[in-house]
Amino acid sequence: QHRHLLELLKRTTVHGESNSALIIGPRGSGKTATCPLGVKNCQFFMKNHFLPGLLQTNDKVALKEITRQLQLENVVGDKVFSDDDVTILTFKISASGDRTSSCPILFILDEFDLFVHHKNQTLLYNLFDISQSAQTPVTVIGLTCRQDILELLEKRVKSRFSHRQIYMKNSFDFKQYIRIFKEQLSLPDEFPDESFAQKWNNNVQHLSEDKTVQDMLRNLFHYTKDLRSLHLLLMLAVSNVTVQHPLITVPDLHEASKQHRMDSKANIVHGLSVLEICLIIAMKHLNDVYEGEPFNFQMVYNEFQKFIQRKAHCMHNFEKPVVMKAFEHLLQLELVKPIERPSVRAQREYLLMKLLLDNNQIMDALQVYPNCPTDVKQWAASSLSWL
């Protein structure tokens, strides 16, 4: 895939051919990392215009960023672009010149599927159009995770696209994964302290051969092949290195693995009030009773009242507005999600909701919840027979 991209870029820089292509693959497969690497290996000067879809929310914002990167502010001036002529002026300027003397331009559209949702796909149409007809050599590369991306393109945009597609995937096996682990941790030959570098690299070699470490890495490998997860694990382990503790140990990696796999939603539960915990337990029981069907606040409140009546000595009976406020806090934390967008006239008590925590997450969080009342824990662990 890298050779394919490199050949594509060389055709633009050496022969002045304009091109367009899509790089498709799952997150962490190296799509974003491959493009700058390909440009660097071309060994030719090329203007590289990186446009992340998360930031370029519409064509006008994207055009402003293109103008800035092409250093055309003095030419464009204070012109305000409308949605209709959003790319015409700047692309005429950027496409001026001839194929022999003009500097090639590379547009990299990260999160390409987000550009598809811009109004009328005008930006994509103009980009693909100049990649076919411009005097200046232009290559447009789109990076996306969506396999069905071509189906989202309008007919006129699709007709301008070259239909080159490069598929990326993490195809390495576990032996190569171990080798990547060693390469990422090892110190280079030019490291100033040769004696320490040798000790460090020998320690890394021993770690890679340790059965406990291999089992830990195998679990991560089967969970995700995304190398960013491996980098995060190693960063957490390396952060424990000090003058007194100069080498990474197996316990360091084990502790880093525990932090890495920590459940973020369960961590949020640790900071909730006892009332909010009780509402989550009430929703848990409703999920068990109705087999995952959506519920509303009134049902949760009724469930909470049943518990209060049974265990009045351990819990204060909060007023309904207070309970509603606690429930809305859970909504803000995205532990509960409405099934549909609420209308203006809808009563809040009867909006259908869905709990975004499963039973294991709730029970694990309760085990480490500080000063959780025993009755509340017993309620969470109780079967349906008490209802």
Side-chain angles (χ1 to χ4, degrees), residues 28 81 116 153 159 162 189 246 260 293 313:
F81 296 95
V116 169
L153 295 178
S159 68
S162 68
D189 296 334
H260 180 260
E293 288 296 313
H313 62 280

Side-chain angles (χ1 to χ4, degrees), residues 119-387:
K119 183 182 178 182
N120 299 329
Q121 299 183 2
T122 309
L123 177 68
L124 296 182
Y125 174 78
N126 280 277
L127 281 174
F128 288 148
D129 189 51
I130 63 167
S131 71
Q132 288 190 345
S133 58
Q135 290 300 312
T136 300
V138 173
T139 290
V140 182
I141 305 290
L143 313 178
T144 181
C145 302
R146 295 196 59 160
Q147 301 283 337
D148 61 343
I149 188 64
L150 288 181
E151 298 173 17
L152 303 178
L153 295 178
E154 292 181 2
K155 188 175 180 181
R156 65 176 189 139
V157 178
K158 202 181 294 186
S159 68
R160 298 298 194 276
F161 176 51
S162 68
H163 289 266
R164 288 185 178 87
Q165 298 170 65
I166 303 173
Y167 289 91
M168 304 281 289
K169 60 179 180 177
N170 290 328
S171 56
F172 47 80
D173 58 18
F174 184 65
K175 285 185 179 179
Q176 291 171 304
Y177 192 73
I178 292 290
R179 181 174 56 78
I180 294 169
F181 166 80
K182 289 193 291 185
E183 287 175 354
Q184 294 297 314
L185 273 185
S186 298
L187 292 173
D189 296 334
E190 59 271 16
F191 192 77
D193 191 337
E194 293 182 11
S195 174
F196 177 75
Q198 187 173 2
K199 286 181 184 177
W200 177 276
N201 291 342
N202 288 339
N203 180 61
V204 170
Q205 181 65 33
H206 290 316
L207 286 174
S208 67
E209 296 168 357
D210 186 276
K211 187 178 183 305
T212 308
V213 174
Q214 286 190 355
D215 289 343
M216 190 188 311
L217 292 175
R218 187 175 282 106
N219 288 336
L220 182 60
F221 175 76
H222 289 310
Y223 177 69
T224 174
K225 286 187 175 182
D226 188 344
L227 291 180
R228 292 176 296 187
S229 292
L230 177 63
H231 294 159
L232 177 58
L233 174 72
L234 299 183
M235 184 194 71
L236 291 170
V238 170
S239 63
N240 288 322
V241 172
T242 61
V243 176
Q244 293 77 22
H245 181 69
L247 299 175
I248 296 176
T249 61
V250 175
D252 289 337
L253 283 169
H254 183 68
E255 184 61 30
S257 179
K258 282 172 62 179
Q259 293 180 40
H260 180 260
R261 297 295 293 272
M262 198 174 286
D263 191 332
S264 59
K265 277 195 167 62
N267 286 342
I268 294 175
V269 175
H270 300 163
L272 298 178
S273 66
V274 176
L275 171 59
E276 290 164 342
I277 289 286
C278 286
L279 294 181
I280 285 179
I281 295 171
M283 289 183 261
K284 169 185 176 293
H285 283 304
L286 287 172
N287 273 343
D288 292 340
V289 172
Y290 298 108
E291 299 179 344
E293 288 296 313
F295 50 82
N296 57 41
F297 169 75
Q298 189 61 47
M299 295 166 67
V300 176
Y301 181 72
N302 293 341
E303 199 70 25
F304 175 62
Q305 286 298 308
K306 289 181 187 177
F307 171 66
I308 291 296
Q309 290 165 11
R310 287 169 55 90
K311 303 289 183 180
H313 62 280
C314 76
M315 276 292 294
H316 175 68
N317 190 5
F318 295 93
E319 296 291 332
K320 191 173 181 178
V322 177
V323 181
M324 171 63 91
K325 191 171 182 180
F327 188 80
E328 288 177 345
H329 185 228
L330 296 178
L331 273 169
Q332 291 171 359
L333 294 175
E334 296 185 356
L335 297 177
V336 186
K337 179 183 177 183
I339 298 296
E340 297 177 352
R341 182 177 294 179
S343 63
V344 178
R345 295 181 180 180
Q347 290 182 286
R348 293 183 299 170
E349 292 91 336
Y350 301 103
L351 289 174
L352 290 178
M353 302 284 177
K354 181 180 179 183
L355 181 63
L356 300 182
L357 291 165
D358 61 37
N359 288 1
N360 291 331
Q361 287 175 311
I362 295 170
M363 297 309 297
D364 291 345
L366 282 176
Q367 294 305 316
V368 293
Y369 185 84
N371 304 320
C372 184
T374 305
D375 287 328
V376 173
K377 285 187 178 181
Q378 290 175 350
W379 180 37
S382 64
S383 65
L384 303 180
S385 59
W386 74 278
L387 294 168

